[in-house]
Amino acid sequence: MKKFSFLLAATAALVLASCGGKKTDANQESKDSVSFEQSQIEQKVMAELDSVADIYNSLNPVEGVFANGKIQLSDEELKAKPAYLYDLKNIDNLSLLSQKYRALGVLAVDAKVAEIYKMDSDAYAAAIAKIATDVNDPAVKFNKDYSAEDLKAFYAAEKENGRLNFFWEASAAAVVENLFVLSQNVDKFLPAFDDKSASEFSYHVALLKLSLDDLAEYDTHIKELVDILAPLNELNAINVDQLKEQIGKMKPQIETARAQMLK
């Protein structure tokens, strides 16, 4: 069985679009800047973060399960659009960089789900582009079809920019959103997984937990995130049946974690 439990994902994978030049407001910058200074990370901790990221980014992006063609919807199912996806209007209420990077991870997953339901993909691209501009980060790019290589590039760029913490925040948000979407319609979405992808998903969570635990000492927002995600630490499925069972049992905790992510 693969070591540990689950949690990072994706995120982030993060779709993310090239960004422009809107600067974050001074108030936001002051709130975020006191939380994290990458230069303070001890060398041995940074080495572990890099090692974990190498493994994490070698796995298939978490949100990729919604784009592998295994989820097929009938005409009737297509009419019932999912009401549980993140409301794009809420991005205007996000003030902290931490919140905005988490939103990128959430939208990376939701955009794929929306595509399955033949919803307006342009709305997601526009929302991601807006956040990318707000965070003023050239590493943020929107790709409709992202890969593990895109994640590796994003990690390297964020490390270079001194924003390594935001890679992990976005990734954590993508993992949680993936779990949340699965919990809302597990019978329909679980066919997207085979035993290998179910095991890799759990491994994502375990690797994410390792990184967040390391970073919590240096970033108050990450410490908060560790507390939010603590109830999900028991996820350790190594096959589809276990994943289905664990998501069913953890549905209330998953919903709570998702609600708190962007609070």
Side-chain angles (χ1 to χ4, degrees):
M1 179 193 323
K2 285 181 177 154
K3 200 181 172 180
F4 298 109
S5 205
F6 117 80
L7 197 90
L8 171 257
T11 101
L14 263 137
V15 288
L16 312 170
S18 37
C19 36
K22 181 176 174 184
K23 293 198 175 180
T24 55
D25 64 61
N27 201 21
Q28 171 184 302
E29 294 223 356
S30 66
K31 287 181 183 177
D32 283 312
S33 62
V34 298
S35 301
F36 181 74
E37 287 292 338
Q38 187 170 303
S39 60
Q40 294 179 3
I41 297 179
E42 298 175 62
Q43 187 174 357
K44 64 180 181 180
V45 175
M46 183 62 79
E48 179 171 325
L49 289 169
D50 288 345
S51 178
V52 170
D54 282 344
I55 300 171
Y56 181 84
N57 293 332
S58 69
L59 303 174
N60 290 322
V62 178
E63 51 272 50
V65 296
F66 294 114
N68 62 13
K70 293 184 180 181
I71 300 174
Q72 300 296 322
L73 302 180
S74 67
D75 289 342
E76 283 302 308
E77 288 172 323
L78 285 172
K79 291 178 183 177
K81 305 303 183 189
Y84 49 79
L85 300 182
Y86 186 67
D87 189 342
L88 297 180
K89 294 177 183 176
N90 289 339
I91 66 172
D92 292 329
N93 300 323
L94 304 177
S95 59
L96 299 177
L97 286 173
S98 178
Q99 294 173 316
K100 293 180 181 184
Y101 277 90
R102 291 181 193 181
L104 288 170
V106 168
L107 296 182
V109 175
D110 285 4
K112 294 298 182 185
V113 178
E115 190 174 353
I116 293 172
Y117 279 90
K118 302 188 185 306
M119 296 165 65
D120 182 10
S121 59
D122 289 343
Y124 286 89
I128 290 167
K130 180 184 185 305
I131 296 174
T133 300
D134 287 347
V135 300
N136 194 29
D137 184 353
V140 174
K141 301 174 184 166
F142 177 78
N143 286 317
K144 182 172 180 173
D145 298 308
Y146 45 82
S147 66
E149 291 304 314
D150 294 321
L151 278 178
K152 290 177 184 177
F154 182 57
Y155 178 87
E158 291 303 63
K159 182 178 179 181
E160 178 68 23
N161 294 341
R163 294 189 179 195
L164 195 59
N165 55 328
F166 294 131
F167 170 88
W168 294 109
E169 292 221 48
S171 294
V175 169
V176 172
E177 186 68 3
N178 196 311
L179 275 173
F180 175 74
V181 170
L182 290 172
S183 73
Q184 299 304 298
N185 197 344
V186 69
D187 290 330
K188 175 55 63 175
F189 292 137
L190 250 293
F193 286 84
D194 55 23
D195 288 345
K196 180 176 183 291
S197 57
S199 178
E200 285 193 350
F201 187 61
S202 291
Y203 198 29
H204 266 124
V205 175
L207 294 169
L208 180 58
K209 183 180 185 307
L210 282 176
S211 296
L212 294 178
D213 285 348
D214 278 347
L215 283 167
E217 179 182 345
Y218 304 94
D219 187 332
T220 57
H221 296 304
I222 296 286
K223 185 176 185 305
E224 171 194 71
L225 193 54
V226 169
D227 293 339
I228 289 172
L229 301 181
L232 310 184
N233 288 347
E234 297 306 310
L235 185 70
N236 58 6
I238 60 171
N239 56 47
V240 174
D241 289 342
Q242 288 183 4
L243 183 62
K244 181 177 182 178
E245 179 184 4
Q246 291 176 14
I247 289 176
K249 288 181 178 179
M250 298 169 64
K251 184 177 179 182
Q253 292 91 336
I254 292 169
E255 291 177 342
T256 297
R258 197 261 198 165
Q260 293 176 335
M261 286 281 298
L262 298 174
K263 202 169 173 184

